[in-house]
Amino acid sequence: MPITTTPKIWMNGELVDWDKAQIHVLTHTLHYGTGVFEGVRAYETADGPAVFRLRDHMVRLHNSAKIMGMEIPYSVDELMDATKATVRSTGLPSCYIRPIAYYGYGEMGLNTLPCRVDVAIACWPWGAYLGDDAVEKGVRMKISSWTRHDHNTMPPAAKTVGNYVNSSLAKVEALKAGYDEAIMLAPNGLVAECTGENIFVSRNGIIFTPPLAAGALEGITQASVSKIARDLGYEVQVGNLARSDLYIADEIFVCGTAAEVSSVNSVDDRKIPCPGPATRAIAEVYAKAVRGQDARYTDWLDYA
Ligand code: PPE
């Protein structure tokens, strides 16, 4: 999806002009995929733009860095303030936010220990990743021929730049085959997640979502949607899913910051009832919660 420019990008403590937010071609992370990043959204609310679960995203950024053995030179609170300043500088009512911590210019070679860590935060307007009508129409899923990397190859719990090689291969394969998105299986065959979303499968009245151990990112939308679903009276369980659980599901939906909540209309051309009642109800509450329109969830908002 194309990027629309905004006035400023935060880089190492300063808001710099969009066009000046540049890095050297020998930046370490460009060569080795060693950075960590986040995807966050700010939504328009009656009280101005509010960033959704900002602290949780910045804690996860720090955790990703910890897994990588990287020291981010800014605290969670500093990164939260920087994010809010960046959002304010755009003047936008809502936007997508991309914080990234990366090994910068000055060192080459796989040893990251001497590398400096640079941090940037950019935002721009971005629509729902899988289409604005993804709840009603649903998306066509394909199980990827690419296996999700496991905990001892590339830790899926860390949102590292390099991990997205695997996601990108799967995404492009699915698109070229005429599908909208791919579902990734872990090396043991269990369902992990999608290329940029967590997955939920409803069967016989229980909604299941795979655990971190199955190779899923610990999704912040996944946690939010689980809470919303339970508040709506649904039973939600974190549990393993096999490929066949997908084909015979009563309902499937996927969620993530960029994608929000999207229903799934088929998996490998097996039709799934879509949109299901649970998906619709959950998506509706989620859309209100992020915009400050549901008093139960206003703790999730950080006003810019
Ligand atoms: N799994 C993966 C692999 C993933 O990339 C995301 C977010 C999620 C699950 C959902 O996590 P959360 O956003 O905390 O609910 N993907 C981000 C980047 C997407 C992209 O393609 O770029 C996002 O949604 O911002």
Side-chain angles (χ1 to χ4, degrees), residues 241-300:
L241 293 165
R243 181 175 192 146
S244 303
D245 289 316
L246 302 174
Y247 295 154
I248 56 176
D250 296 330
E251 259 180 77
I252 301 180
F253 62 91
V254 299
C255 71
T257 299
E260 304 180 309
V261 180
S262 298
S263 41
V264 171
N265 62 33
S266 65
V267 178
D268 292 342
D269 304 310
R270 277 80 165 174
K271 282 204 181 323
I272 311 295
C274 166
T279 306
R280 231 192 213 137
I282 293 163
E284 211 176 292
V285 176
Y286 181 76
K288 286 195 171 140
V290 295
R291 291 173 180 82
Q293 294 163 8
D294 191 321
R296 290 173 293 181
Y297 308 113
T298 46
D299 282 359
W300 285 341

Side-chain angles (χ1 to χ4, degrees), residues 106-294:
E107 289 283 337
M108 209 35 97
L110 295 176
N111 178 12
T112 57
L113 299 175
C115 294
R116 55 183 261 205
V117 178
D118 289 326
V119 182
I121 304 170
C123 23
W124 64 89
W126 228 25
Y129 210 33
L130 298 173
D132 286 327
D133 55 355
V135 175
E136 286 309 308
K137 220 174 111 212
V139 292
R140 283 185 77 206
M141 288 285 185
K142 176 192 191 300
I143 294 182
S144 189
S145 77
W146 295 98
T147 303
R148 187 51 129 199
H149 37 78
D150 93 321
H151 297 277
N152 293 318
T153 50
M154 312 261 286
K159 204 168 162 64
T160 62
V161 175
N163 277 359
Y164 285 80
V165 172
N166 179 250
S167 279
S168 235
L169 286 167
K171 180 80 185 182
V172 174
E173 177 190 65
L175 291 175
K176 281 194 161 171
Y179 297 85
D180 301 309
E181 175 52 323
I183 295 171
M184 315 285 306
L185 306 182
N188 63 5
L190 295 174
V191 177
E193 58 177 347
C194 304
T195 68
E197 302 86 26
N198 291 106
I199 189 164
F200 286 80
V201 172
S202 169
R203 206 160 160 247
N204 301 330
I206 302 176
I207 303 174
F208 295 92
T209 189
L212 189 153
L217 182 73
E218 217 170 32
I220 290 164
T221 320
Q222 180 189 38
S224 311
V225 154
S226 298
K227 165 94 178 98
I228 288 170
R230 289 188 182 113
D231 290 348
L232 283 166
Y234 294 104
E235 183 176 347
V236 181
Q237 285 185 20
V238 174
N240 284 322
L241 293 165
R243 181 175 192 146
S244 303
D245 289 316
L246 302 174
Y247 295 154
I248 56 176
D250 296 330
E251 259 180 77
I252 301 180
F253 62 91
V254 299
C255 71
T257 299
E260 304 180 309
V261 180
S262 298
S263 41
V264 171
N265 62 33
S266 65
V267 178
D268 292 342
D269 304 310
R270 277 80 165 174
K271 282 204 181 323
I272 311 295
C274 166
T279 306
R280 231 192 213 137
I282 293 163
E284 211 176 292
V285 176
Y286 181 76
K288 286 195 171 140
V290 295
R291 291 173 180 82
Q293 294 163 8
D294 191 321

Side-chain angles (χ1 to χ4, degrees), residues 24-66:
H24 197 275
V25 73
L26 294 182
T27 296
H28 193 276
T29 292
L30 179 64
H31 294 253
Y32 302 118
T34 43
V36 296
F37 72 102
E38 271 301 316
V40 193
R41 270 189 193 275
Y43 287 90
E44 182 170 6
T45 76
D47 302 310
V51 186
F52 188 67
R53 302 194 71 165
L54 177 56
R55 179 172 297 279
D56 296 315
H57 280 284
M58 290 312 180
V59 166
R60 191 171 65 187
L61 185 74
H62 266 268
N63 284 342
S64 296
K66 194 173 179 183

